[in-house]
Amino acid sequence: MSMLEINDIHTYYGNIHALNGISLKVEKGEIVTLIGANGAGKTTTLRTIAGLLKPRQGQVLLEGEDITKLKAHEVVYKGVAMVPEGRGIFARLTVTENLDLGAYSRTDRQNFAQDLERVFTIFPRLKERQKQVAGTLSGGEQQMLAMGRSLMARPRILLMDEPSMGLAPILVESIFDTIVAINKEGTTILLVEQNALMALSIAARGYVLQTGEIVLLDSAANLKQNEMVRKSYLGIE
Amino acid sequence: MNKQINNGFRTGLIFGIINIFLILIGFPMVAGTIIKDAIHNDSTVLLGLNADILDMLIFMGLIGLWAGASGGRRLKGEVDTWLDALASSASSGFTNGLLVGGLAYLLGALNDAGVRISVYLAAILPATIKQLLLGKNTLDGALLEFGFLFVTGLLGGALGFALRGQWRKALGDWWKKIWSGFVNSAWVRKIRSHPLFMPAVYALGLVILYIIPQEAGKYWNYTLGTVGIYVLLGLGLNVVVGFAGLLDLGYVAFFAIGAYTVALLTAPNPHHLMWSFWVALPIGIVLAAAAGILLGIPVLRMRGDYLAIVTLGFGEIIRILATSDLLTPFSGGPKGVSAIGGPTLFGKPFSSDKDFVYLIMIGILLTIFVTTQLRSSRVGRAWEAMREDETVARAMGINTLTHKLMAFAIGAAFAGLGGVLFASRNQFTGPEDHNLMVSINVLSVVIVGGMGSIPGVIAGAFALKGLPEVLREVQDYRVLFFGALLVIMMIWRPEGLWPSSRRSMELGKADDNAKKNSGAPGGKP
């Protein structure tokens, strides 16, 4: 059974038909990437899975369980965590308070210290900045915090929305290394990216999204060789 | 040097404008009267000036000193010499004096021309103008006034400079040594580490709280009660605005529901139910909380400005409903409800102003207890997240709908408690007790005090509701005073009088932190 399966999702913003029948699958332990241009519907897809948007049609299944009708906060309790677009950290709270809120959905508070230690091992810089107000962190640190916070929920699947956005190339590389490390520890990841080259280099499979529809799906290696992908998303003639 | 003189002029301008404002509302004369009451009662004559003028001059002189000291203060990155300090304080005193002297001349000239200024500005009587001109004729008086402020300004600058030299440092060091010696001495440590120390402090606090109403007279107890009710309301609104970040401008609605509940249940008219206060109290709180939820449901999906507008409407609806013809037989209409019952204790009436101060204190302590517990709880954390970013809060697993309703209900419950106590103490309530100004006042209490901060709200209530009572003489200009205070506060101290640690962190230290980090080696990855 797939970790996440969505079938023929149609999502609207008012009358605008944003997603026109999207279907995709993420197997347990995989990194799957969703690439596409601006406005293709990548973020909308993630928000629909997370329950922040309600599809008019279609199904979202988490290990076979239908979570389409659940509210956003209920979806979190099922083990779906999100690293929102633009990081979405709580800028006026401290690093520790942000991480604490990441664990809000957890009922087993006794493991909190252990989880905190785990996040600090992955992101030693966050440990140095524990008491600092999150809004004063640099862009890279904020991304680390957003990722660390989502890990505090011990998700079964992590939805990541453009983790490379607005970061220097050298930082992008280290963030992607961390994504691989998190995946190796057993978290399934669905990654939305504009930086297609980076995304395809760490993902097992990829979907290409165009104006609300999946136009291509293949293994990451094949997608990298695909002429249309090379032209449109990798900028290679 | 130029920078300092510039600063001097600017400071003088600010002080001058504030001075003009104070004079126009007649404040220096009032302050003079207060000084007179405080220091002496006889009518001394000095240098041909009578006591009234002297007392006013004392006040003006203090302002002048302050203006000079502030204008001649040391600026960051500038050399600090006698010459700079004097030049800048002189420019500050000059500007301040010019503005005030100019005003004095203008008022004097108008008065001489037979214009009755008190028609337009109630505080500016011919006698006041005479006082402002130091009893001299217009030109001499204005020049003297100017000279006085100029000299005091210069003096203030000199004083400020002298005090910030070696002298002040020595004084500071001496005090620090004494204080740390005291704190670290063996017996102080022993007492502080004793398990009964904190309970003893609390007990002492309670004893003081018990004594104050005993010693205060009727008038002060009434004032304390009013301030206390605003503390209660402020603490309640603080939950909604400060903790949960929902801007509620209709807070008075819940206050009104509490007040009307106790009124209709205990008063002889219009229903003659004559229930006990102690029965009406919980009913009032519960009804207010229920109204909070009722208001909450339709506005759940609204944010920011929209929420503020809708709640504003709700607040007005309750008041207008109470005065409507339709509900007049039920609510007492525009005339309100009188002879509201007070509480009894062991068969004896317990409803003097003093007794109510105790009741209100208990209410406040209860509110403080509940709000501090809430803030550190799971609910408090959820509110915090919601206030920062609602969408992300939902993505963290927080049910924002129920948490919003909870904030509304809890805030409303405290407002209901405040309303019950208010109506029962006054033995009367009517639509005019529940107008929009109440909502605005409570919101101001929260903002001036420090959003999200419990001691801040208490300080804010004393500053905004207590101070005007003390300064009864300027009552006519209270709203003006209030407005000026709000503007000044928002410019100089946007985090409030006594901010929560979080707010001061955001507004003050946050910049320092950012600087520190970018400056540190390898700070930014």
Side-chain angles (χ1 to χ4, degrees):
Chain A
M1 198 183 303
S2 306
M3 173 60 79
L4 178 78
E5 186 178 344
I6 66 176
N7 293 324
D8 192 30
I9 287 284
H10 292 259
T11 304
Y12 291 73
Y13 289 110
N15 283 327
I16 301 164
H17 199 162
L19 295 186
N20 191 7
I22 302 274
S23 300
L24 60 81
K25 265 187 191 178
V26 183
E27 300 301 331
K28 195 168 183 171
E30 254 189 331
I31 299 182
V32 171
T33 184
L34 196 56
I35 57 179
N38 268 342
K42 305 185 299 283
T43 299
T44 310
T45 308
L46 282 199
R47 290 172 67 94
T48 307
I49 297 169
L52 291 165
L53 294 170
K54 288 278 163 265
R56 281 200 198 165
Q57 195 186 318
Q59 257 187 329
V60 181
L61 301 172
L62 187 69
E63 286 193 289
E65 187 187 350
D66 190 348
I67 59 166
T68 324
K69 295 270 184 311
L70 295 187
K71 300 200 173 73
H73 62 97
E74 293 165 335
V75 172
V76 181
Y77 283 86
K78 294 285 176 196
V80 180
M82 183 154 98
V83 181
E85 188 179 19
R87 311 187 256 277
I89 53 156
F90 298 114
R92 305 197 298 177
L93 306 190
T94 65
V95 168
T96 317
E97 285 168 331
N98 265 278
L99 294 173
D100 184 57
L101 282 166
Y104 187 86
S105 61
R106 294 276 300 282
T107 40
D108 49 337
R109 293 290 293 179
Q110 65 273 21
N111 293 330
F112 178 74
Q114 191 191 331
D115 289 359
L116 201 62
E117 218 29 67
R118 175 175 163 232
V119 168
F120 285 155
T121 317
I122 302 174
F123 304 108
R125 187 169 306 274
L126 293 183
K127 188 169 189 172
E128 296 165 25
R129 301 255 187 268
Q130 277 181 69
K131 296 231 160 59
Q132 198 171 316
V133 180
T136 64
L137 297 176
S138 72
E141 289 166 345
Q142 292 189 4
Q143 186 62 51
M144 293 176 193
L145 179 58
M147 286 166 66
R149 185 181 59 185
S150 66
L151 290 179
M152 291 299 289
R154 283 208 196 166
R156 288 196 274 175
I157 180 165
L158 193 54
L159 313 174
M160 303 186 91
D161 199 347
E162 304 259 6
S164 73
M165 195 156 118
L167 296 184
I170 184 159
L171 268 175
V172 173
E173 225 159 283
S174 97
I175 290 285
F176 274 82
D177 286 347
T178 317
I179 296 173
V180 172
I182 292 169
N183 175 250
K184 287 226 171 85
E185 283 186 15
T187 310
T188 310
I189 291 171
L190 175 57
L191 173 68
V192 156
E193 259 298 343
Q194 281 209 47
N195 188 338
L197 189 62
M198 284 303 286
L200 289 173
S201 65
I202 64 163
R205 295 186 301 117
Y207 291 80
V208 179
L209 201 56
Q210 220 169 57
T211 54
E213 282 173 66
I214 303 275
V215 291
L216 209 56
L217 67 143
D218 208 335
S219 73
N222 285 348
L223 282 179
K224 264 188 181 174
Q225 302 307 320
N226 183 293
E227 192 152 327
M228 182 206 106
V229 173
R230 287 171 71 93
K231 252 188 173 163
S232 314
Y233 303 109
L234 304 180
I236 304 165
E237 288 296 321
Chain B
M1 176 104 189
N2 278 336
K3 220 169 150 189
Q4 272 126 327
I5 293 182
N6 244 332
N7 176 56
F9 276 120
R10 214 169 37 233
T11 313
L13 198 68
I14 294 171
F15 271 88
I17 290 170
I18 292 176
N19 246 334
I20 288 180
F21 171 73
L22 289 176
I23 290 169
L24 290 181
I25 67 171
F27 192 79
M29 296 77 201
V30 174
T33 319
I34 293 173
I35 290 170
K36 182 179 165 188
D37 291 345
I39 306 176
H40 62 94
N41 261 318
D42 51 346
S43 38
T44 333
V45 177
L46 197 71
L47 298 170
L49 299 173
N50 69 29
D52 285 346
I53 293 173
L54 280 174
D55 289 327
M56 185 204 75
L57 277 182
I58 292 176
F59 176 77
M60 297 288 275
L62 288 175
I63 298 242
L65 286 174
W66 187 8
S70 179
R73 71 178 178 272
R74 190 166 66 94
L75 293 181
K76 247 185 202 155
E78 294 287 312
V79 210
D80 190 28
T81 65
W82 268 108
L83 189 66
D84 288 318
L86 287 183
S88 49
S89 63
S91 52
S92 172
F94 177 82
T95 320
N96 186 14
L98 201 66
L99 286 171
V100 175
L103 177 76
Y105 183 78
L106 186 73
L107 290 177
L110 284 173
N111 193 44
D112 293 344
V115 181
R116 286 180 53 217
I117 303 164
S118 59
V119 174
Y120 312 103
L121 288 158
I124 309 296
L125 300 167
T128 318
I129 296 169
K130 199 81 187 152
Q131 197 179 351
L132 198 63
L133 293 170
L134 313 179
K136 313 278 187 239
N137 69 40
T138 302
L139 189 61
D140 291 353
L143 280 175
L144 271 175
E145 187 84 50
F146 163 75
F148 179 71
L149 285 174
F150 180 66
V151 171
T152 49
L154 205 58
L155 218 63
L159 220 63
F161 184 82
L163 287 180
R164 68 172 168 261
Q166 291 295 319
W167 217 73
R168 176 155 145 190
K169 194 173 171 316
L171 195 76
D173 287 349
W174 175 76
W175 172 245
K176 233 182 254 166
K177 216 170 110 192
I178 301 252
W179 179 246
S180 67
F182 174 74
V183 172
N184 291 322
S185 67
W187 59 276
V188 172
R189 278 188 176 189
K190 211 166 148 192
I191 292 177
R192 287 189 62 163
S193 60
H194 195 279
L196 284 179
F197 177 71
M198 281 323 282
V201 170
Y202 286 131
L204 188 71
L206 284 180
V207 169
I208 292 172
L209 285 185
Y210 174 77
I211 292 173
I212 292 171
Q214 294 291 345
E215 295 302 317
K218 192 172 160 48
Y219 169 71
W220 284 110
N221 272 331
Y222 182 81
T223 306
L224 265 181
T226 307
V227 173
I229 283 169
Y230 270 86
V231 171
L232 251 180
L233 295 177
L235 289 172
L237 187 63
N238 191 33
V239 171
V240 186
V241 179
F243 293 178
L246 305 165
L247 185 52
D248 181 355
L249 290 182
Y251 196 59
V252 67
F254 313 121
F255 180 68
I257 287 170
Y260 268 104
T261 304
V262 74
L264 298 177
L265 290 179
T266 65
N269 280 309
H271 299 300
H272 200 74
L273 287 170
M274 308 292 280
W275 288 13
S276 155
F277 169 84
W278 298 112
V279 178
L281 175 74
I283 296 179
I285 294 171
V286 169
L287 281 182
I293 293 174
L294 222 61
L295 165 68
I297 292 170
V299 302
L300 273 177
R301 277 164 227 285
M302 295 180 180
R303 297 181 189 190
D305 317 352
Y306 301 101
L307 178 70
I309 299 288
V310 174
T311 52
L312 183 83
F314 186 72
E316 284 296 278
I317 285 172
I318 297 284
R319 185 176 64 85
I320 291 166
L321 268 183
T323 52
S324 68
D325 288 344
L326 183 70
L327 285 183
T328 296
F330 177 76
S331 67
K335 279 201 317 234
V337 184
S338 47
I340 297 170
T344 51
L345 207 60
F346 308 119
K348 284 182 195 143
F350 188 72
S351 49
S352 69
D353 285 329
K354 186 170 81 185
D355 300 333
F356 266 104
V357 173
Y358 287 123
L359 273 182
I360 291 164
M361 277 178 181
I362 292 170
I364 291 172
L365 290 179
L366 190 81
T367 311
I368 292 176
F369 177 75
V370 173
T371 46
T372 46
Q373 291 300 314
L374 274 174
R375 182 161 53 175
S376 53
S377 73
R378 211 173 136 75
V379 177
R381 289 190 298 137
W383 280 338
E384 211 159 42
M386 206 167 78
R387 188 187 64 202
E388 297 300 313
D389 189 327
E390 213 176 305
T391 310
V392 180
R394 285 168 69 200
M396 295 292 113
I398 293 163
N399 186 344
T400 51
L401 301 191
T402 52
H403 281 98
K404 273 188 187 179
L405 287 183
M406 263 171 94
F408 271 124
I410 292 167
F414 292 132
L417 173 63
V420 168
L421 292 171
F422 181 76
S424 177
R425 183 192 67 157
N426 293 357
Q427 298 174 13
F428 169 82
T429 197
E432 286 319 303
D433 285 347
H434 311 293
N435 58 27
L436 179 63
M437 269 318 281
V438 178
S439 292
I440 293 174
N441 277 332
V442 178
L443 190 64
S444 311
V445 161
V446 174
I447 289 170
V448 168
M451 226 192 290
S453 154
I454 290 166
V457 170
I458 297 172
F462 272 93
L464 292 186
K465 295 307 289 185
L467 217 57
E469 287 294 329
V470 177
L471 304 172
R472 277 209 93 84
E473 279 86 351
V474 288
Q475 275 253 318
D476 295 345
Y477 294 94
R478 224 176 42 179
V479 180
L480 202 65
F481 194 76
F482 192 74
L485 184 70
L486 276 185
V487 172
I488 292 169
M489 280 288 302
M490 289 303 103
I491 292 171
W492 277 338
R493 213 173 153 75
E495 70 272 32
L497 288 171
W498 190 328
S500 64
S501 49
R502 157 131 318 109
R503 292 277 295 167
S504 50
M505 201 152 67
E506 288 154 25
L507 288 160
K509 288 188 210 139
D511 299 340
D512 299 344
N513 270 343
K515 265 181 226 149
K516 222 182 289 162
N517 291 327
S518 55
K524 285 201 174 183

